[in-house]
Amino acid sequence: MQPLGHRLLSDETAPGLPGTGRRRGHRHPLPGRRVGSADRKKEKRQSIIRPLLKQTTEIAPGGVSLVVPQPNINATVAQNILLSVEYSCRGVATIEWKHVSSWGTTKIVEWKSGNYVNISTVYKDRVTTFENGSIQLLNVGMRDAGYYFITVTEEYGTNTYGTIIVNVYEIIYEDLHFVAVLFAFLAAVSAILICFMWLCNKSLHLFQKKTAHKLTGISLQMQSRYRFFKPEF
């Protein structure tokens, strides 16, 4: 009688034998084959997670984009300026504007689309917000020059940034007004002096004419008297 182990091995490798019920090529599972069960479990888990991942990818936003058409703005004192931007996103966005200059960093305004608007006390009654993310600053001064940073944050956590540089130039209206008034005053004084000189010249001419006429009359009078009293020899 052959040993059991040898018999089983012979039964595996032998062609179909009567009573064995086995086919050629069929083998008993070996201990190393148990890895296949773990692979099957892994594939099963992946088959369950894969639709969820696909669903999450479809729900997740496509991000947020921001366009700054005019990154440099030149303005003069007391002028109103528009910090123009245009953002787009799939979710609800939060917009925040900050001003950075040599005087420090100041938060201007923060608002959520269709919800709240928080304007800093420093910029109270000076800022107007728009749905596309733009803001308008009223009556700018020299301290308003600097960098303006906008941050657009989507409700899913995606955010983007933009920068606008603002240059503010001061026009000294008082000096211009003084120069204009001084010029007008000098022109008026010059006109008055010209008129006065013309009147003086005219008066002097009339006086000279009148004096010459008197002298002529006196001369004729003296000549007539001289003729009347002239002795005859």
Side-chain angles (χ1 to χ4, degrees):
M1 181 178 293
Q2 296 177 349
L4 182 59
H6 179 73
R7 184 179 178 181
L8 289 174
L9 184 60
S10 299
D11 289 341
E12 285 181 9
T13 57
L17 299 176
T20 60
R22 298 182 181 87
R23 295 181 181 178
R24 180 181 295 179
H26 180 78
R27 300 177 185 271
H28 286 287
L30 299 176
R33 299 288 291 175
R34 293 180 182 177
V35 179
S37 61
D39 293 339
R40 285 193 296 272
K41 290 181 181 179
K42 185 177 180 180
E43 289 182 1
K44 187 175 181 181
R45 286 196 301 268
Q46 289 179 353
S47 64
I48 296 174
I49 295 173
R50 193 175 294 112
L52 295 177
L53 291 175
K54 184 178 180 182
Q55 185 178 5
T56 304
T57 304
E58 292 176 354
I59 294 176
V64 56
S65 63
L66 178 67
V67 178
V68 181
Q70 190 176 1
N72 290 281
I73 297 177
N74 296 323
T76 55
V77 174
Q79 184 181 354
N80 301 333
I81 61 174
L82 177 65
L83 305 180
S84 178
V85 297
E86 184 73 30
Y87 81 91
S88 62
C89 63
R90 293 181 59 182
V92 179
T94 302
I95 300 95
E96 181 185 42
W97 280 93
K98 288 184 179 180
H99 175 221
V100 179
S101 66
S102 58
W103 288 282
T105 302
T106 307
K107 184 177 179 180
I108 302 174
V109 62
E110 179 184 2
W111 78 91
K112 195 170 186 178
S113 180
N115 199 340
Y116 65 90
V117 178
N118 290 333
I119 301 177
S120 175
T121 306
V122 180
Y123 291 89
K124 196 70 175 178
D125 300 327
R126 289 188 56 213
V127 174
T128 304
T129 61
F130 299 93
E131 287 297 326
N132 63 352
S134 303
I135 61 173
Q136 185 180 31
L137 289 179
L138 306 178
N139 193 23
V140 296
M142 295 299 296
R143 296 178 67 92
D144 291 318
Y147 297 87
Y148 288 82
F149 294 97
I150 177 176
T151 304
V152 181
T153 305
E154 200 178 25
E155 58 183 341
Y156 298 102
T158 307
N159 54 21
T160 186
Y161 308 92
T163 307
I164 297 177
I165 302 174
V166 175
N167 302 310
V168 180
Y169 300 97
E170 185 177 11
I171 297 179
I172 306 176
Y173 293 100
E174 293 81 4
D175 289 352
L176 293 179
H177 181 71
F178 175 76
V179 171
V181 171
L182 181 61
F183 179 78
F185 176 76
L186 292 177
V189 170
S190 299
I192 293 173
L193 289 175
I194 292 172
C195 292
F196 180 74
M197 290 177 65
W198 182 81
L199 289 174
C200 290
N201 188 25
K202 191 72 174 176
S203 300
L204 181 60
H205 181 70
L206 291 175
F207 178 76
Q208 290 177 351
K209 187 177 181 180
K210 188 175 181 180
T211 304
H213 183 69
K214 285 184 177 181
L215 291 174
T216 304
I218 293 172
S219 176
L220 292 175
Q221 213 172 21
M222 290 180 66
Q223 288 179 4
S224 62
R225 286 180 181 179
Y226 176 75
R227 289 177 184 175
F228 179 77
F229 292 106
K230 183 179 180 181
E232 296 182 358
F233 297 100

